[in-house]
Amino acid sequence: MSESTDQYALPADYSDRVFGVLLAAADGAAHARDGADPGETETLALYLLDGLLEALEWANEGVSSDEAACMWLAALRWYKLVNKSFPAGAPEPQPRWIDEAFDGAPDFAPGDSQNLLALDNADMASVGRPLFPQADTTGVLTRAAFMALLPRVDEATTAKLATDAAALTHGSPGAHRAAAAAALVVRAALESGTGSVGRWAALVKEFEPEMTEAREPDQGHEAPESEAAERDMTAGAGLFRAVTLVTNALAHTEPKAAYDALFEASGSSPSASKSAAY
């Protein structure tokens, strides 16, 4: 086996790890909403993943395509799913299998409001052409985790896909960087499992200066509680919290102990999450 082939070799339980990411997203969402209804944030992430799948299907047929544009068209189909119509003046892509799968689904639990706000436009947003330059909320993190599920690509490609997916709705460079780092953390966990924990600090290190500056009080005074809470909702703050919680959980080798530790660290009840998820 050549060195280039070894570079993209997958662990034998890779599919199980991918399922774990999808299950964690669903379980975490149900826990956060204290219910089992499908959520806007998670379904949008699934649609973006389907957009990436469509780009791969075109590539397999020898036709080049723009991955970010394919994800945007998928996001427009998600917008129609939630709002029952496409945004005025926007393209109206043909339905795919995922649209049929969600046909007749109940109303979705609200997610990051920035998603619907940004997609309610005729034009596609991108890193170079943001429609909402200040948008920096945690809605980009779930889709970043899903972008990390694409196997046999290098880290730069993983980071770019996550950044492009974030830029469709969030224009802040901080949100873009947080999405890229989140995808790399999930990718490391998929490839190396608990052995990747030591790499996580290096993967998110570039965020530390910005987050430190963001938390410094102005002119020696503490920020009002509402402002502090708003800062905690930034993508960067959400990424640091998620990495901390997961690292604490992975310190345990038994699955149940890891699960309990995750929710104990977040100040939540595992039993409540289980009843919400099922």
Side-chain angles (χ1 to χ4, degrees), residues 54-257:
E54 185 174 18
L56 292 174
E57 291 169 356
W58 282 111
N60 286 336
E61 295 181 8
V63 180
S64 62
S65 61
D66 185 331
E67 292 89 351
C70 287
M71 287 192 286
W72 178 55
L73 293 175
L76 293 179
R77 290 189 285 110
W78 170 84
Y79 182 95
K80 180 185 179 183
L81 175 70
V82 176
N83 268 8
K84 312 307 179 186
S85 65
F86 288 108
E92 299 185 7
Q94 293 297 310
R96 283 171 52 84
W97 67 273
I98 193 171
D99 301 285
E100 296 179 4
F102 278 109
D103 186 31
D107 291 338
F108 297 99
D112 187 342
S113 60
Q114 177 61 28
N115 295 331
L116 286 171
L117 175 66
L119 291 172
D120 189 17
N121 284 278
D123 298 319
M124 170 184 163
S126 65
V127 174
R129 189 180 179 277
L131 297 181
F132 295 86
Q134 304 303 317
D136 180 18
T137 50
T138 55
V140 300
L141 297 180
T142 299
R143 73 188 72 164
F146 285 20
M147 292 299 104
L149 303 182
L150 181 65
R152 298 187 176 91
V153 298
D154 56 32
E155 289 187 347
T157 300
T158 297
K160 183 180 185 302
L161 291 173
T163 301
D164 287 343
L168 294 174
T169 55
H170 294 64
S172 166
H176 301 167
R177 291 193 296 269
L184 292 178
V185 166
V186 173
R187 173 194 167 101
L190 285 170
E191 294 179 347
S192 305
T194 56
S196 68
V197 175
R199 295 187 55 212
W200 291 3
L203 290 173
V204 301
K205 185 176 182 180
E206 64 181 284
F207 298 92
E208 293 177 354
E210 183 176 349
M211 293 305 301
T212 301
E213 293 172 6
R215 292 183 178 278
E216 289 180 355
D218 295 334
Q219 300 177 352
H221 299 288
E222 290 189 9
E225 184 177 349
S226 59
E227 292 182 13
E230 182 177 353
R231 284 203 300 267
D232 284 343
M233 287 301 293
T234 65
L239 171 62
F240 275 116
R241 178 165 175 76
V243 170
T244 299
L245 295 180
V246 175
T247 302
N248 289 340
L250 289 180
H252 300 266
T253 56
E254 292 296 325
K256 185 179 185 305

